[in-house]
Amino acid sequence: MWITLLLAIFLIATSFLVWQSKQTNDVLQARFDQVIGLRQLIYLLRFHRRQSHQCLSHIRSPKLEELNEAKAIKALLHTLVNQAEQTHKPMHRILRQRINSLLNEWFYYSVRRNQAVHGKAIRHVLYLIDDLITQSLLAAGKEQLFNQYQAVWPITLNAIDSLSRFRHTIESYNVDNSASKRELKLHIQIIQHRLGQLSLLMHRAPPAFMLDELQADFGQINLDAQDVMITKQALYQLSLRISDTIFILFDVMLGDIANDISVRFPTIHLNDAKIIPLDIKSDKRPAA
């Protein structure tokens, strides 16, 4: 009798723990599915920023570029708002409103304002990702991983902010102004330092070329060239490579976290990561 009762209690307790574990895992997976969607939104916003930058820089009709990216972004925003947890829906709606304004008004922006408004939208998405990751790590009881993430997160934001200042300096660059040359060099050094900090905190160290070549590429750009537009184009292309590197490292961090808490997440293999090489002699720009 007692043995049967104890066995029944044990089976009920075991079943409850299994059910609770599955419920927790389902919640974590749902949050990371949302993170995947938000990460895709960042990719689309970065792509839209590059396309719109190219249009504004060359003063040509934006209609073709605007239609394709805008439709994809709006469709994804609609999905993300619907899938968001109730506590996150207000921030998602604010994000949708901000991005819709961007999509409808960017062709009236200056090049500098276009960079800034896209950057603010991307940061908004990053903060939503941060909230989801923080909640997931706390729910999973991963204190050590949470502490590691808390160390990586501010450096990632600082690297993005440093990149924004670098781009701001590009727009105001003057070949006859030695101060602007010093400012560009300072921003590159800061960015290099930030990326080095990130690589040290990663589970998997990135290949050396991902970081070392950025400094080498900057050294190839002739800041004394009299055709300042060619110099600005080369510097802007370098900023795209820096942006790619930052977000590749960010993806690796998200993939490592997902692996540690046993949820599905598309990971990037660092050795296979492709960054489009710099072309300082042409007007070509990477498309994504």
Side-chain angles (χ1 to χ4, degrees):
M1 175 75 177
W2 286 107
I3 294 177
T4 303
L5 181 60
L6 288 173
L7 183 59
I9 293 173
F10 173 77
L11 291 174
I12 292 171
T14 302
S15 299
F16 175 76
L17 290 174
V18 170
W19 174 84
Q20 189 178 49
S21 176
K22 185 179 183 305
Q23 289 291 103
T24 300
N25 189 261
D26 287 346
V27 170
L28 292 175
Q29 186 61 63
R31 286 176 179 166
F32 263 80
D33 288 342
Q34 190 78 352
V35 168
I36 292 170
L38 290 168
R39 184 61 191 87
Q40 179 67 15
L41 180 59
I42 290 177
Y43 173 85
L44 288 172
L45 286 171
R46 292 175 63 224
F47 186 83
H48 187 273
R49 177 169 60 184
R50 297 181 184 196
Q51 296 294 92
S52 57
H53 177 95
Q54 192 170 19
C55 289
L56 293 171
S57 298
H58 290 76
I59 317 176
R60 72 169 192 259
S61 172
K63 291 182 179 178
L64 205 59
E65 287 83 358
E66 191 243 338
L67 284 174
N68 294 330
E69 281 77 58
K71 285 182 178 179
I73 290 171
K74 288 177 180 178
L76 182 54
L77 279 169
H78 178 75
T79 300
L80 288 170
V81 171
N82 288 339
Q83 291 179 346
E85 297 177 18
Q86 283 301 123
T87 55
H88 293 150
K89 283 187 183 292
M91 286 296 290
H92 278 73
R93 292 192 182 103
I94 294 171
L95 174 67
R96 181 169 61 183
Q97 182 179 5
R98 169 178 280 179
I99 292 178
N100 282 337
S101 295
L102 181 160
L103 296 175
N104 294 330
E105 300 171 4
W106 68 265
F107 36 84
Y108 299 117
Y109 295 163
S110 66
V111 170
R112 181 174 292 177
R113 176 165 170 74
N114 186 57
Q115 290 285 339
V117 175
H118 277 85
K120 287 180 181 178
I122 289 170
R123 282 173 181 77
H124 191 141
V125 182
L126 285 169
Y127 283 120
L128 289 175
I129 291 176
D130 175 54
D131 197 26
L132 288 166
I133 295 295
T134 298
Q135 289 185 10
S136 297
L137 292 178
L138 293 176
K142 298 286 187 177
E143 184 176 350
Q144 183 176 352
L145 189 59
F146 174 76
N147 291 334
Q148 181 182 355
Y149 170 73
Q150 289 294 299
V152 171
W153 171 247
I155 299 173
T156 302
L157 287 184
N158 288 339
I160 293 171
D161 289 340
S162 297
L163 175 58
S164 296
R165 287 190 285 272
F166 178 65
R167 283 174 166 161
H168 186 276
T169 305
I170 292 172
E171 289 306 313
S172 58
Y173 176 70
N174 184 340
V175 67
D176 298 321
N177 188 338
S178 58
S180 62
K181 295 177 185 177
R182 288 196 300 270
E183 190 174 359
L184 283 171
K185 292 177 181 177
L186 176 62
H187 288 319
I188 281 292
Q189 290 171 359
I190 293 173
I191 291 169
Q192 193 81 357
H193 177 66
R194 302 290 188 208
L195 294 175
Q197 287 179 308
L198 283 177
S199 66
L200 289 174
L201 293 170
M202 294 289 174
H203 286 179
R204 295 169 287 163
F209 73 85
M210 286 184 65
L211 307 184
D212 294 343
E213 285 188 0
L214 296 177
Q215 184 71 43
D217 287 341
F218 178 73
Q220 292 177 17
I221 299 172
N222 182 9
L223 298 179
D224 296 317
Q226 290 305 305
D227 191 337
V228 71
M229 290 308 300
I230 291 180
T231 301
K232 286 186 176 182
Q233 288 165 11
L235 289 168
Y236 179 69
Q237 287 189 52
L238 176 60
S239 78
L240 298 183
R241 288 168 53 81
I242 294 169
S243 178
D244 289 339
T245 304
I246 292 171
F247 281 97
I248 286 171
L249 293 176
F250 183 66
D251 284 345
V252 170
M253 176 187 68
L254 294 179
D256 286 343
I257 290 173
N259 184 62
D260 280 0
I261 62 177
S262 301
V263 294
R264 297 184 305 277
F265 190 83
T267 57
I268 281 189
H269 299 288
L270 282 168
N271 289 329
D272 298 330
K274 301 293 184 184
I275 299 179
I276 297 174
L278 183 67
D279 180 2
I280 65 174
K281 296 180 180 179
S282 73
D283 186 36
K284 297 177 182 178
R285 290 180 174 84

